Amino acid sequence: MKFFIDTADLNEIAEAKSWGCLAGVTTNPSLYARTGGKLADFEPHMLKIAELCCGLPVSAESTATTAEGMIEEGRRLAALAPNIVVKLPVCEAGLAACRALADEGVRINMTLVFSAPQALLAANAGARYISPFVGRFDDIAEDGISQLADVVACIGNYDWTGKNVDDQVEIITASVRTPNHVTQAALLGADIATVPFGALKKCLKHPLTDAGLASFEADWKKVVEQA
Ligand code: E4P
């Protein structure tokens, strides 16, 4: 399973990328708002992320509310850089815009997916990536991982050749809150997990790793002191 980072913060992206295991970035309007960015800076900011990511896929979300608006904004976003993926919400307008943009060779990440039927509709409309949300189910005391399991199984049952520019659909586990979400997503065979920076750091940390490092350092110091 590949790791994407779920943020619009350039410093977080740069740090995660420096670890050498980052495969992409997802953003959304809330994540952009959190950077304090202005409306006029939105597209230049997406371009900066795309350049920082040197070819890795970067999802930039349309905020238009009609299919025509999404198509127009999607074309603009996709033209910013070859690694921009246009993110669209799964709804009537989003599906129509997805089909139109996919037919033009634009990669689409269909977001706000909460069910297997929504995922199947998105894949049939030409989505290159599908983002089922896990944490938001857990927030309302439902089981996000079992919903993800349905999406992974349903999409995995079919061949998506001819549906989009890359002839494949990848599942991005979204709305990830914990390392356990990452483990469960990988056990289910989800292709990607997009993880906020804080949760990504939690994925790396383990108290036994810290204790092991401390004892190796202490023992090595003794060897050096005796030399
Ligand atoms: C997906 O790409 C979304 O940006 C994101 O995962 C939403 O997560 P949230 O539920 O933490 O807002």
Side-chain angles (χ1 to χ4, degrees):
M1 186 176 72
K2 290 179 276 192
F3 280 92
F4 284 11
I5 186 167
D6 199 25
T7 184
D9 184 303
L10 292 166
N11 294 325
E12 291 182 351
I13 296 165
E15 186 174 340
K17 187 166 172 284
S18 76
W19 297 355
C21 52
L22 191 69
V25 176
T26 52
T27 68
N28 65 35
S30 307
L31 293 171
Y32 178 66
R34 213 170 289 164
T35 67
K38 305 263 184 299
L39 179 60
D41 295 331
F42 173 64
E43 289 181 15
H45 190 82
M46 290 300 123
L47 176 58
K48 270 188 204 155
I49 296 177
E51 286 174 347
L52 178 60
C53 290
C54 316
L56 300 177
V58 173
S59 290
E61 187 159 343
S62 167
T63 50
T65 52
T66 61
E68 296 69 31
M70 289 178 197
I71 293 167
E72 196 190 312
E73 193 181 1
R75 282 182 186 141
R76 248 193 358 260
L77 290 169
L80 290 173
N83 55 327
I84 291 274
V85 172
V86 175
K87 207 171 173 192
L88 297 174
V90 66
C91 59
E92 291 87 339
L95 288 176
C98 181
R99 176 78 280 152
L101 289 166
D103 286 347
E104 294 176 14
V106 176
R107 290 176 181 84
I108 304 295
N109 172 2
M110 190 128 283
T111 190
L112 290 168
V113 170
F114 288 92
S115 74
Q118 286 180 322
L120 289 161
L121 288 167
N124 277 289
R128 169 67 179 79
Y129 300 95
I130 294 174
S131 293
F133 281 39
V134 171
R136 291 192 194 187
F137 270 117
D138 295 3
D139 293 345
I140 58 163
E142 288 192 31
D143 184 2
I145 290 297
S146 74
Q147 297 288 338
L148 174 67
D150 286 352
V151 171
V152 171
C154 288
I155 293 297
N157 276 343
Y158 301 98
D159 176 9
W160 299 102
T161 306
K163 291 290 180 194
N164 64 46
V165 61
D166 292 327
D167 288 332
Q168 61 164 326
V169 174
E170 288 184 287
I171 308 288
I172 305 180
T173 307
S175 189
V176 167
R177 307 262 193 268
T178 64
N180 190 47
H181 281 158
V182 172
T183 305
Q184 298 308 318
L187 285 170
L188 291 171
D191 304 286
I192 298 157
T194 190
V195 186
F197 189 56
L200 205 53
K201 284 204 284 194
K202 283 186 192 158
C203 287
L204 180 59
K205 279 286 169 191
H206 195 286
L208 292 177
T209 306
D210 292 343
L213 257 177
S215 73
F216 286 158
E217 273 174 26
D219 290 340
W220 189 246
K221 202 171 159 211
K222 286 180 212 156
V223 173
V224 170
E225 280 165 1
Q226 280 163 11

